[in-house]
Every structure is written in C-alpha cells, then in structure tokens.
C-alpha cells in the first residue's frame, strides 16, 4: 500500500513524540512492504509564530489531501493568558472541524508490565481493556451563545451545551460497531437526571440500539461513571459520551494505564474529498511544557496512535498488531521513560522509540 500521511508535530513534547512515532511508522511499513509519503504541517503555537494563525489554511489543505493525519500536541505557556480564540488550542478545534471528525476513540489498557505504575491497587486495574468514545464535534465546546458579558457583580460567563439527534446517533452508531467487534457491551454515559441534552442522548442511544440487537446497552450517570472507572474498570467494554464528559473521563483513564503518556487516540468521522474515511491520530496528552525539550517524554501514546492509524484508516490489522506487540515487548523489557517509574535508569524519548523499532 502507499500511505500519504500528514504530520502536525505542534508544540512542546508533541514534536519529540511525533518524531518517534514517525520512525516506528517507517519501520513497520518497511517491514511489511508498504511505502509512506510524509508531509509536515503547522498547527498550534508554532503556527501562530510562523503565520499568525493557530491553523493556517495551508494546514487545512494538506489535511484534506492526506490519507490520514498524525498529530503531536499543541499549547505553549506564553499564550496562557490570551483569549481562547487566539490560543494554540484553537488550532486543535480547527483541525477537528476541518476534517469533520466526530468520534474520538481512546483505548485504555492495563499492560502487565505497568501494573505497579498505577496508583490504584493491582487487583482493581489488572485486565482493564476499554475504549472511551468521545463525541468530538459538538456539545459545550462549540455551542452558542457563549462569551463573557456585563460587568462588576453582574459580569457573566456563558457556554451552551447543545446536541442534535443526528449528532448523537452517528457517534452512538460508531460506538455500537466497535462494541460489536469486541465484548458486545456498550455503556452510554449521560447526566439525564439534570440535563435535557442528556435526556435526548439517552433516548437516541436506545433507538440506535435497535440496530444492534447483539450488543448489550447500559446507561450510567457521568458522576457514577467517574467512580466506577476507578472502582471496577473491568466492568466496561466500550463507553460513549458527549464531548466534555469524554474529555474529563478519558484523563481518568490515564490513571488506569499507568501514565497519560501511554494513551493513544483516534478521531474518525466522515469522508475526505478522495472518498477515504477521515482519520486524525494523536496521543491523549498535551504539550507538557514542564518536560518539553528534555528528551524525557513517553512516546508510547504517539506510537500507539500509529497502530490505531494502521488499523482504522488503512485496515492494516497485522501491521497494527505488530506495533502493539512491539510496545508490549519494550514494556516487558523495562525500557521505559521516567513517568513509568522504571527500576533502573529511565530511557530517553529517543531510546524508547529506537527500542520499539528494534522490537518490531
Ligand atoms: P499535559 O498532558 O501536557 O501534561 C500533564 C502532565 O502529564 C504533566 O506533568 C506532563 O509532564 C505529564 N505528561 C504529559 N504527557 C506526557 C508524556 N508523553 N510523557 C511523560 N509525561 C507526560 O497537560 P497540561 O499540563 O494540562 O497542558 C499543557 C498544555 O497542553 C496546555 O497548553 C494545554 O492546553 C495543552 N493540551 C493540548 C492537548 C492536545 O494538543 N491534544 C491536550 C491536552 C492539553
């Protein structure tokens, strides 16, 4: 196969982990006889510095032209106090909108070698294998009206959570399909005891369930879900939820996996101009300014995102499995970065990337 990939390394450790992810992508393609054409684009703080915009039009053009996009992370502390519309993170929302991705898949697995890295008791996290499906294109992050108005004691901040039936149905369908290929259990997360958007969400989830009689559907309130994820994570297979709930709960998933640096993600949605399915792949973590530029970042979330890309965008299941096995082998050998608290000296970002290539 010929793979046309756009990379958007972004800011901070995004650059460091993307470099290793690309190295692994090239290694796995060489091993299985595929060719890769890589193009690099600008997103986030670096794009603001070079073009004045967090997502320049050229980046949108490149993303629509590629078969799939591999992203690092965006965000620079120097922009912490500027309005949201001028921050690097605006680029993130921009690329997601441009590509029309609406489902963000965040697999959370507990690796045997990492069980001691989780702050939770071993018997609780052992065997965890779940996927959080987060709606990505709607909800409170995009709803209007929004803004800050008035002044003094009456100054008011406003955001709006809104969902249409079709937005809910398409992400639920994606989650049902994933569950069908796994352990056939879907948990729909909402806050239907308080929010009207959640009441509609629950109703639509039940309607879509009729198309998937082989998948068991359960509903759970988001606050209870936050508790169950740490009390009994093994009870979950696939979870589906709106944008902000998914944003928050997927970071809780990082605790189960041992480090946020371990978590890959895949954002999928409609079709590209070429007719291929859209795919945007990135680690769950941010640009980690506290460790940026120190060759300390864990690249395994970014490398796992390459595995997700091979599987979801190209249907290369053997190749994806080879990358995941190589990650597991490196963990078993204790070749890990400092965040995973190795017994010996931690490896650098680059050494872990090299170790995954060797394991491949
Ligand atoms: P973060 O994920 O960057 O970091 C949180 C903590 O986890 C830090 O202590 C960091 O050192 C650690 N960490 C993160 N990734 C790691 C890795 N691969 N290896 C080892 N340790 C790792 O979250 P934050 O500190 O809340 O945000 C920093 C910046 O990143 C902000 O500007 C934020 O807006 C942005 N951000 C971007 C994305 C994205 O691009 N998708 C996601 C989240 C946050």
């Amino acid at each position: 196969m010929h793979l046309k990939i756009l990379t958007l390394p972004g800011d901070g450790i995004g650059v460091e982990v993307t470099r290793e992810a690309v190295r692994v992508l090239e290694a796995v393609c060489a091993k299985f006889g595929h060719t890769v054409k890589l193009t690099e684009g600008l997103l986030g703080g670096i794009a603001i510095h070079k073009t004045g915009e967090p997502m320049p039009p050229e980046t949108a053009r490149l993303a629509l032209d590629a078969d799939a996009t591999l992203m690092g992370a965006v965000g620079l502390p120097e922009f912490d106090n500027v309005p949201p519309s001028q921050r690097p993170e605006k680029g993130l929302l921009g690329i997601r909108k441009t590509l029309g991705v609406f489902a963000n898949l965040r697999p959370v697995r507990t690796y045997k070698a990492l069980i001691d890295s989780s702050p939770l008791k071993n018997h609780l996290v052992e065997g965890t294998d779940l996927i959080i499906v987060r709606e990505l294109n709607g909800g409170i992050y995009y709803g209007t009206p929004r803004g800050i108005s008035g002044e003094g004691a009456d100054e008011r901040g406003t955001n709006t959570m809104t969902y249409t039936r079709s937005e809910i149905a398409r992400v639920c369908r994606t989650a049902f399909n994933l569950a069908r290929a796994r352990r056939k259990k879907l948990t729909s997360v909402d806050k239907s005891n308080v929010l009207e958007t959640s009441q509609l969400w629950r109703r639509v989830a039940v309607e879509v369930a009729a198309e998937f009689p082989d998948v068991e559907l359960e509903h759970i309130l988001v606050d209870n879900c936050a508790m169950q994820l740490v009390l009994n994570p093994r009870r979950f297979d696939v979870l589906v939820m709106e944008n902000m709930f998914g944003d928050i709960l997927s970071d809780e998933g990082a605790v189960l996996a041992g480090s946020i640096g371990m978590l890959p993600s895949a954002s999928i949605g409609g079709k590209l101009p070429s007719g291929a399915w859209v795919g945007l792949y990135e680690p769950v973590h941010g640009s980690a300014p506290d460790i940026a530029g120190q060759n300390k970042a864990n690249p395994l979330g970014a490398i796992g995102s390459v595995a997700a890309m091979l599987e979801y965008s190209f249907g290369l299941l053997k190749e994806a499995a080879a990358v995941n096995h190589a990650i597991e082998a490196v963990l078993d050998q204790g070749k890990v970065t400092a965040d995973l608290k190795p017994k010996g000296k931690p490896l650098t970002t680059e050494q872990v990337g090299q170790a995954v290539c060797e394991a491949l």
Side-chain angles (χ1 to χ4, degrees):
M1 250 179 134
H2 181 63
L3 284 58
K4 206 162 70 169
I5 309 295
L6 171 67
T7 64
L8 299 171
D11 307 315
I13 65 165
V15 179
E16 299 161 56
V17 299
T18 304
R19 195 179 299 133
E20 299 316 312
V22 165
R23 196 137 66 112
V24 172
L25 174 65
E26 287 179 324
V28 71
C29 285
K31 181 179 158 78
F32 286 90
H34 306 297
T35 52
V36 201
K37 179 173 179 284
L38 291 161
T39 312
E40 191 173 308
L42 294 171
L43 192 78
I46 185 171
I48 298 177
H49 282 304
K50 295 203 170 169
T51 71
E53 294 176 69
M55 196 193 66
E58 175 65 2
T59 298
R61 194 191 62 74
L62 291 171
L64 291 171
D65 188 48
D67 296 328
T69 298
L70 182 63
M71 212 166 74
V74 300
L76 290 175
E78 67 192 81
F79 295 102
D80 277 355
N81 296 317
V82 305
S85 62
Q86 294 159 31
R87 286 175 60 111
E89 290 82 351
K90 183 78 184 165
L92 207 60
L93 303 184
I95 187 83
R96 289 173 182 163
K97 271 275 178 213
T98 298
L99 286 173
V101 292
F102 59 76
N104 182 231
L105 281 40
R106 299 185 165 191
V108 178
R109 265 184 73 192
T110 311
Y111 291 93
K112 274 207 173 64
L114 292 186
I115 222 138
D116 292 329
S117 307
S118 170
L120 298 175
K121 292 195 176 74
N122 290 1
H123 75 272
L124 289 179
V125 287
E126 203 164 13
T128 298
D129 179 4
L130 56 89
I131 298 188
I132 294 179
V133 180
R134 166 187 170 192
E135 200 290 327
L136 203 58
N137 223 349
I140 199 162
Y141 294 168
Y142 292 101
T144 52
R146 65 183 297 160
I148 301 177
S149 59
E151 50 191 53
D154 290 330
E155 191 173 11
R156 179 185 296 273
T158 304
N159 292 96
T160 303
M161 185 187 274
T162 165
Y163 272 106
T164 62
R165 166 177 286 280
S166 64
E167 284 173 328
I168 301 168
R170 66 185 182 180
V171 73
C172 285
R173 226 168 251 126
T174 302
F176 270 111
N177 273 314
L178 277 170
R180 180 172 261 177
R182 291 169 48 98
R183 301 195 303 278
K184 300 188 168 38
K185 183 173 171 190
L186 178 64
T187 306
S188 173
V189 182
D190 64 41
K191 187 72 185 166
S192 61
N193 51 344
V194 179
L195 300 175
E196 281 77 4
T197 41
S198 281
Q199 285 164 2
L200 180 65
W201 183 283
R202 194 175 277 216
R203 209 159 12 101
V204 175
V206 170
E207 286 168 18
V208 175
E211 299 166 30
F212 299 86
D214 51 330
V215 178
E216 178 199 341
L217 171 67
E218 69 163 356
H219 305 280
I220 189 168
L221 296 177
V222 63
D223 38 352
N224 185 21
C225 186
M227 190 165 72
Q228 294 301 326
L229 270 173
V230 286
L231 280 180
N232 186 11
R234 271 192 305 271
R235 79 194 280 279
F236 295 115
D237 179 11
V238 179
L239 300 97
V240 64
M241 63 201 76
E242 68 89 36
N243 206 341
M244 184 171 62
F245 296 167
D247 194 3
I248 297 170
L249 292 187
S250 56
D251 269 28
E252 196 181 359
V255 179
L256 305 170
S259 162
I260 193 162
M262 288 301 301
L263 294 181
S265 85
S267 301
I268 56 179
K271 296 219 169 162
L272 289 164
S274 65
W277 291 104
V278 161
L280 175 66
Y281 301 87
E282 56 180 310
V284 165
H285 62 77
S287 57
D290 53 336
I291 57 165
Q294 298 174 35
N295 206 5
K296 271 187 184 170
N298 183 348
L300 294 178
I303 293 171
S305 303
V306 166
M309 171 190 279
L310 294 166
E311 177 172 348
Y312 299 126
S313 276
F314 299 102
L316 297 173
L317 302 186
K318 265 193 310 206
E319 290 78 347
V323 173
N324 284 326
H325 286 143
I327 292 174
E328 205 149 358
V330 164
L331 292 172
D332 288 342
Q333 293 158 20
K335 293 181 175 170
V336 295
T337 41
D339 54 308
L340 295 176
K341 303 182 183 61
K343 291 200 177 73
K345 194 167 173 266
L347 265 59
T348 63
T349 309
E350 204 178 325
Q351 286 169 331
V352 171
Q354 182 61 34
V356 174
C357 289
E358 281 161 16
L360 258 176

